[in-house]
Amino acid sequence: MNFEIIPFLSMNGKAAAAIEFYEKYLGANVLFKKNYKEMKEMNPHFSYEEDQDQYITHSVLEIGANKLMIAEEEMDSSRPWQLGNSSSLCIQSQDTNVITHLYKSLVQHKDVTIVVPLKKNTFSPGYAIIRDPFGIVIQLCVTVHDF
């Protein structure tokens, strides 16, 4: 199977500043970045507060040989954002079958919680969020990007 696991940081309004920091101090290369205003153009149902046009809905950075994803929102909205529960893992592949297989495998475990079931959304033909038995939030994403 061809997929990768990428750390995902939820920054609660500070994603743009974090991206700038990683660019300046770690030489990060921004592979992808979309803000709330751009997301609203893609999906008219996407809503946000008036002063949040430049908030980041999703980004992918390359730092050295690694990738890092950064956005504003927490992945498990059943728990309030706080430092310490603001990270998740993102498993992504361009192969829908790979993501579907991994999702079906994970949700077989009795202690896995489905936060968002696997389905198509605005940015992916297949996206899900689960919480594993150890409390780790895992996103599964069929990516349409080539990074």
Side-chain angles (χ1 to χ4, degrees):
M1 286 189 275
N2 187 16
F3 65 94
E4 60 186 345
I5 298 177
I6 302 171
F8 191 108
L9 304 179
S10 300
M11 301 304 291
N12 197 35
K14 298 179 181 174
I19 292 167
E20 288 178 24
F21 175 85
Y22 293 130
E23 282 181 296
K24 182 174 182 178
Y25 295 100
L26 293 178
N29 180 29
V30 177
L31 302 177
F32 179 85
K33 182 169 67 171
K34 188 164 295 293
N35 64 33
Y36 282 15
K37 183 178 179 182
E38 294 165 329
M39 187 66 170
K40 179 80 172 175
E41 292 167 2
M42 286 178 60
N43 176 5
H45 301 292
F46 182 76
S47 62
Y48 58 93
E49 294 180 26
E50 187 176 321
D51 61 342
Q52 296 178 337
D53 278 354
Q54 298 308 311
Y55 273 30
I56 305 301
T57 188
H58 187 61
S59 68
V60 180
L61 286 74
E62 183 177 54
I63 304 174
N66 302 292
K67 292 180 187 159
L68 177 65
M69 294 180 174
I70 298 177
E72 306 298 353
E73 303 88 10
E74 70 281 350
M75 291 297 109
D76 182 353
S77 59
S78 70
R79 298 177 177 185
W81 186 95
Q82 66 181 31
L83 194 58
N85 78 346
S86 58
S87 61
S88 63
L89 297 177
C90 182
I91 300 174
Q92 72 174 18
S93 174
Q94 291 181 331
D95 187 337
T96 301
N97 294 326
V98 168
I99 294 301
T100 301
H101 171 77
L102 292 170
Y103 175 80
K104 287 180 177 179
S105 177
L106 285 163
V107 299
Q108 289 179 51
H109 193 283
K110 67 178 179 62
D111 294 327
V112 164
T113 302
I114 298 172
V115 178
V116 174
L118 183 63
K119 61 185 174 186
K120 180 180 179 178
N121 64 18
T122 303
F123 59 85
S124 173
Y127 180 78
I129 303 173
I130 62 105
R131 187 179 327 105
D132 77 11
F134 313 101
I136 304 299
V137 174
I138 301 173
Q139 302 172 67
L140 296 107
C141 182
V142 178
T143 184
V144 297
H145 302 287
D146 196 21
F147 31 71

